[in-house]
Amino acid sequence: MHTLAIAALHLLQLLATIPTLSSQDTEAIPGCTSRCHNISIPYPFGIGDERCYLHEGFKLACKTEEQPPVLYMNSAGYRVVKIKLNPRVVYLDTRFHQLLGKSSYGESWNLSLDNSLYRLSAAQNVFVALGCGFRFSVSLPGAGANASASTCDSSCQHGYPKVPTDGTCSGTGCCYTEVSQDSNSYAIKLVPHDEAAANSTMPGARGPFNATYIVEKGEYWKRTGFAVPLQQYAAAPESVPPVPTHTVVYWMFGNSSCAEARSSNASGCLSDESECHDEPPRGYRCQCGQGYVGNPYMPNGCQDVNECTQTDPPPCFGQCINTIGSYDCICPSGTSGNPRVKDGCSPSKLKLSGLIIAIGLGSGIAILLFVFAIVVIRRKVKARKARITKEFFFKQNRGLLLQQLVDRDIAERMIFRLEELERATNSFDETRKLGGGGHGTVYKGILSDQRVVAIKKSRHAVKREIDDFINEVAILSQVNHRNVVNLFGCCLETEVPLLVYEFISNGTLHEHLHVSAPQSLSWKERKRIALEIARSLAYLHSSASMSIIHRDIKTANILLDDRLVAKVADFGASRGIPIYETSVTTTIQGTFGYLDPEYYQTGRLTEKSDVYSFGVILVELLMRRKPSSYVSPEGSNLVSHFSSAVSEDKLREVLDSQVIEEAEEEETREMAAIAVTCLNSKGEDRPSMRQVEMRLQALQSPADSTGRNQNQRIEEGAAGPNGRRPVQGGDSSYAGDHSNLSRPYSMEQEFWSSMSFPR
């Protein structure tokens, strides 16, 4: 009977390891909203009914009329960025404070929250001053003249921007300081360096100055990825989308100790399995007891942990059995000793009769058969679930795809199986990752027919990603151009479809252009690449009955093959517009620095939005500067600085030195003139991409204008690129003689030509 009991214990443990479904939410009170967009709302915080939060000081408001929804403190209106239970902190957006046009400043910074519940963390925050030519000081309000203050100096230096935008903060245009004491109110003072000369030797500018200061989590401020958006917004708030600060604020339950809270029946530790710990000099904190996890501030918030199934199990070298709040560790059947020590269980001397041995042996065999049956059943259930899931996604995505494709036969020919793509990428191994963009991660794969391909996989299973991927299939299935990346097909057996492209081996135009070496792409290559991009965009805008607008043209989305031929990629944000329409109103998508300001202000998308982005690329080719991060000494962005230089006849002062050495002055002036017309603030005053293509064509030498000799053109005219025969009236960059300009396809010819690749 002892053997049977041990065998039953083994069986119970095996069944306990089988995953079970649990939908219990231990963050919020049952029936209350636990999230606002992507922010979790744990009790004692809450929104809605009074039962959802502890009291008014913890009430929040989720503004769903904003898109995406934004969470605010209900009383003071601060935006909530994050809430943590352990440690007890809340990250708030305390906003940017601008000080404009004075020679000195004195004001107070206040956190408008209940002092008994919230207190700014001096240890985790820094006060940051952006601007130059002053000393910045922070002190407690009401402190005397001799009281110590936290200070930092920000100087002005010739050739440096007044506010850096590269994430640095070393005393030139930016400085920060820490405070030594928690408080919800501080005195802020800024004086120019000439008034502080008695205590400082820092050089500075006299007279009125502008400054901006914020309170930010010190750990975040020292990371470039967090500092750059804050600096960019402080430098040009009118042209950059607002960004929140991350001010760290402690939250508490007043000033009482654990004993005082229990005696007054006002303890915030509401879970039966929670523990209260004093935190001098203010308040107390709650935590779940050993063996429990969850939210100690709400009833039944602490749940038992199954220690035996944890990824980091407790030290037990025998049989681990979970109990409420703890676990037991026993030696396996037939052994005895200390199971918590390695090799601590040794065989025991049992005097069993033949009957007991036979019963034990029979029970063991029965249990083995039972376990084997469970394993087989679980595998079959798992395989069946995977098959049903793939069939569901295939039906859903195929329907979405067919809604956007005219020819169903084209959609069927484009489909890859998930198993084929997993074999091609070694189950999407990290070593096969090529990089990623705004619409997914790209992996290198080798198909069974030895074709090398690039496979794009979404990072997030959200409706927008599904729509973007389906949109990219529908767009690229209509495109056949030597300067547009080829789409071989897609896999519809995942929640978000996988896209299979031709593999482009030589990286992006952005990587080739912005190298650390003084020499980059030659002027001849830059002219040719600009023409190839213009050809592809002219083709997209007038290729078929549906005009295609890319909407995210930038150097990072221009791929280069081994001959540095340009290939436009990443069509996830693209939109098709019927030929009888000139625009469409849609949500804003694109990349800062390349985004059409007229589209950004009105939401009205036209072909001229791509023209503006192409104009930015021309400026980037001429100046070799990054549009998203460049700020001139005068504080203007790349486009404004370039336009001013052209209008003031100072073009050579802003050109890349390599362009000055290799290009004729007339060539650079002509390309600059093309760029300025593309960057016109009014879309209707910009040229079409066809007109831009013709002007760039005129810049090419006779050898450059074709990109290959006559024999190559005859050969491609017969067979087409990638072994395809060109469609009559198709892309003239490889389909005939004439002026080498792009021409439109018919919709039917586009579809069948795009599907003529071998599978």
Side-chain angles (χ1 to χ4, degrees):
M1 294 304 293
H2 175 73
T3 304
L4 285 173
I6 296 297
L9 192 60
H10 276 278
L11 178 59
L12 289 174
Q13 185 192 12
L14 175 66
L15 294 176
T17 63
I18 299 176
T20 58
L21 296 176
S22 176
S23 60
Q24 185 173 11
D25 188 349
T26 60
E27 290 292 314
I29 295 293
C32 295
T33 303
S34 61
R35 299 188 70 83
C36 179
H37 186 45
N38 58 353
I39 302 177
S40 177
I41 307 175
Y43 191 84
F45 294 89
I47 61 177
D49 296 341
E50 292 183 359
R51 66 184 185 85
C52 295
Y53 50 87
L54 185 61
H55 54 68
E56 284 295 323
F58 293 101
K59 184 178 181 180
L60 306 177
C62 185
K63 301 296 185 181
T64 55
E65 60 269 19
E66 301 185 37
Q67 290 300 323
V70 179
L71 186 64
Y72 291 97
M73 298 294 295
N74 188 63
S75 58
Y78 291 113
R79 179 179 175 179
V80 179
V81 183
K82 184 187 294 185
I83 303 173
K84 288 187 175 182
L85 290 178
N86 187 23
R88 293 174 293 111
V89 296
V90 57
Y91 293 5
L92 300 179
D93 176 13
T94 54
R95 310 179 187 95
F96 287 69
H97 299 265
Q98 292 184 316
L99 308 173
L100 306 176
K102 294 183 181 179
S103 58
S104 63
Y105 301 92
E107 63 175 47
S108 62
W109 182 92
N110 296 300
L111 183 67
S112 303
L113 293 174
D114 188 344
N115 285 337
S116 65
L117 300 178
Y118 300 96
R119 184 61 60 95
L120 182 82
S121 170
Q124 297 191 57
N125 291 299
V126 293
F127 281 74
V128 182
L130 298 155
C132 70
F134 55 79
R135 169 169 288 177
F136 176 67
S137 66
V138 184
S139 61
L140 293 176
N146 298 325
S148 61
S150 301
T151 64
C152 68
D153 288 281
S154 179
S155 64
C156 300
Q157 290 191 21
H158 180 70
Y160 287 83
K162 293 181 180 179
V163 176
T165 56
D166 58 357
T168 61
C169 190
S170 56
T172 301
C174 174
C175 73
Y176 65 91
T177 183
E178 300 174 350
V179 294
S180 59
Q181 184 174 338
D182 294 352
S183 177
N184 284 355
S185 181
Y186 294 92
I188 306 298
K189 188 175 182 182
L190 283 85
V191 295
H193 279 149
D194 53 352
E195 293 183 20
N199 300 315
S200 173
T201 60
M202 299 288 290
R206 298 174 179 271
F209 58 88
N210 297 336
T212 301
Y213 73 91
I214 59 174
V215 183
E216 177 72 7
K217 183 176 181 180
E219 179 186 351
Y220 287 179
W221 177 249
K222 294 170 186 176
R223 299 182 192 173
T224 302
F226 283 91
V228 166
L230 294 170
Q231 290 179 336
Q232 289 179 343
Y233 182 74
E238 70 284 349
S239 60
V240 177
V243 293
T245 62
H246 298 74
T247 306
V248 184
V249 177
Y250 287 123
W251 58 270
M252 62 206 76
F253 294 121
N255 299 322
S256 61
S257 65
C258 291
E260 292 169 343
R262 282 194 294 266
S263 64
S264 63
N265 293 324
S267 175
C269 305
L270 299 182
S271 178
D272 293 339
E273 292 77 22
S274 63
E275 299 175 351
C276 183
H277 298 271
D278 290 325
E279 284 197 342
R282 292 172 58 84
Y284 59 88
R285 63 180 173 87
C286 305
Q287 71 178 41
C288 291
Q290 184 175 0
Y292 295 88
V293 294
N295 187 343
Y297 300 100
M298 60 180 285
N300 301 316
C302 295
Q303 301 293 315
D304 175 55
V305 177
N306 188 341
E307 290 84 356
C308 300
T309 60
Q310 297 297 300
T311 55
D312 186 16
C316 179
F317 298 93
Q319 188 75 37
C320 181
I321 303 172
N322 183 58
T323 61
I324 301 300
S326 185
Y327 70 99
D328 287 335
C329 185
I330 64 174
C331 285
S333 175
T335 63
S336 61
N338 185 358
R340 299 178 186 271
V341 178
K342 189 174 182 180
D343 300 327
C345 295
S346 56
S348 58
K349 297 179 181 179
L350 301 176
K351 297 181 179 179
L352 301 176
S353 64
L355 180 60
I356 295 177
I357 294 175
I359 293 175
L361 184 61
S363 301
I365 293 174
I367 291 173
L368 283 175
L369 292 174
F370 183 63
V371 170
F372 179 75
I374 290 178
V375 171
V376 171
I377 292 172
R378 288 187 64 190
R379 286 182 177 178
K380 288 186 176 181
V381 169
K382 186 176 181 180
R384 182 174 180 273
K385 183 178 179 180
R387 177 174 55 80
I388 293 173
T389 301
K390 288 196 294 184
E391 290 176 354
F392 171 78
F393 290 142
F394 181 84
K395 291 178 181 178
Q396 171 184 280
N397 294 330
R398 182 175 176 273
L400 293 173
L401 179 60
L402 290 177
Q403 287 175 7
Q404 301 192 42
L405 289 180
V406 175
D407 196 319
R408 293 187 172 222
D409 189 49
I410 291 178
E412 300 299 338
R413 293 188 184 189
M414 296 175 66
I415 294 173
F416 286 82
R417 297 297 302 274
L418 178 59
E419 290 82 357
E420 182 178 1
L421 300 187
E422 287 178 338
R423 287 196 301 270
T425 59
N426 194 18
S427 297
F428 297 98
D429 191 275
E430 287 294 310
T431 59
R432 297 292 187 93
K433 185 182 293 186
L434 297 174
H439 298 274
T441 303
V442 181
Y443 295 85
K444 180 180 180 181
I446 303 176
L447 300 178
S448 56
D449 58 7
Q450 302 306 306
R451 278 187 295 168
V452 181
V453 295
I455 301 171
K456 182 189 287 189
K457 181 180 182 183
S458 172
R459 294 192 184 94
H460 308 290
V462 296
K463 185 179 185 302
R464 176 175 171 179
E465 287 293 341
I466 298 173
D467 293 343
D468 286 347
F469 271 53
I470 293 294
N471 179 67
E472 190 159 2
V473 176
I475 291 291
L476 287 179
S477 67
Q478 305 176 46
V479 172
N480 181 23
H481 195 279
R482 73 186 297 262
N483 298 122
V484 177
V485 66
N486 265 327
L487 177 69
F488 290 159
C490 59
C491 173
L492 305 177
E493 295 178 347
T494 55
E495 186 168 1
V496 181
L498 306 176
L499 306 186
V500 184
Y501 301 91
E502 64 173 320
F503 177 68
I504 308 299
S505 60
N506 214 356
T508 67
L509 174 57
H510 185 275
E511 295 167 347
H512 281 266
L513 190 61
H514 299 293
V515 294
S516 57
Q519 295 293 312
S520 178
L521 292 168
S522 69
W523 171 245
K524 179 179 177 181
E525 290 167 338
R526 296 188 202 189
K527 287 194 302 178
R528 177 183 53 76
I529 290 171
L531 175 60
E532 289 173 344
I533 300 171
R535 284 175 178 166
S536 66
L537 291 178
Y539 168 80
L540 291 172
H541 291 175
S542 58
S543 61
S545 61
M546 184 73 71
S547 178
I548 299 169
I549 301 177
H550 189 282
R551 200 158 50 154
D552 197 15
I553 288 295
K554 57 183 178 181
T555 52
N557 283 343
I558 307 300
L559 304 180
L560 300 178
D561 66 11
D562 53 359
R563 296 183 299 166
L564 295 182
V565 173
K567 303 273 189 176
V568 178
D570 202 343
F571 284 75
S574 300
R575 284 295 302 268
I577 300 179
I579 195 169
Y580 53 83
E581 296 182 10
T582 59
S583 67
V584 63
T585 300
T586 181
T587 56
I588 307 301
Q589 281 188 257
T591 301
F592 174 75
Y594 298 87
L595 191 62
D596 174 14
E598 184 178 64
Y599 168 47
Y600 178 77
Q601 293 170 4
T602 65
R604 180 172 166 268
L605 180 67
T606 69
E607 297 173 359
K608 300 301 179 71
S609 300
D610 280 352
V611 175
Y612 181 91
S613 301
F614 178 76
V616 178
I617 290 181
L618 290 183
V619 175
E620 197 171 350
L621 290 170
L622 287 166
M623 294 180 63
R624 203 174 145 203
R625 299 283 188 175
K626 299 177 181 178
S628 59
S629 60
Y630 177 81
V631 179
S632 71
E634 295 78 21
S636 58
N637 59 28
L638 184 70
V639 170
S640 299
H641 188 202
F642 179 81
S643 300
S644 299
V646 173
S647 64
E648 297 170 6
D649 200 18
K650 297 179 180 179
L651 177 61
R652 289 181 65 85
E653 295 180 12
V654 299
L655 289 178
D656 179 19
S657 58
Q658 185 180 351
V659 172
I660 296 175
E661 292 175 5
E662 299 179 5
E664 298 291 337
E665 184 174 355
E666 286 304 316
E667 290 182 318
T668 59
R669 286 185 178 276
E670 173 63 11
M671 184 173 284
I674 297 172
V676 169
T677 60
C678 291
L679 296 172
N680 199 299
S681 60
K682 292 185 177 180
E684 61 187 15
D685 294 334
R686 300 170 196 156
S688 68
M689 283 310 303
R690 180 77 63 193
Q691 294 169 323
V692 172
E693 177 188 2
M694 294 176 66
R695 292 184 66 177
L696 289 173
Q697 177 73 37
L699 275 178
Q700 310 296 314
S701 64
D704 297 334
S705 64
T706 60
R708 57 196 174 276
N709 60 35
Q710 184 68 18
N711 291 335
Q712 289 174 306
R713 293 173 61 191
I714 293 173
E715 181 181 350
E716 288 193 5
N722 301 315
R724 293 182 292 177
R725 182 173 299 278
V727 179
Q728 180 65 30
D731 173 19
S732 63
S733 64
Y734 57 82
D737 195 359
H738 220 283
S739 63
N740 205 23
L741 302 179
S742 304
R743 299 196 189 113
Y745 279 86
S746 72
M747 176 69 82
E748 185 177 1
Q749 289 171 329
E750 289 288 339
F751 285 172
W752 287 109
S753 178
S754 67
M755 291 316 302
S756 60
F757 288 94
R759 285 293 309 275

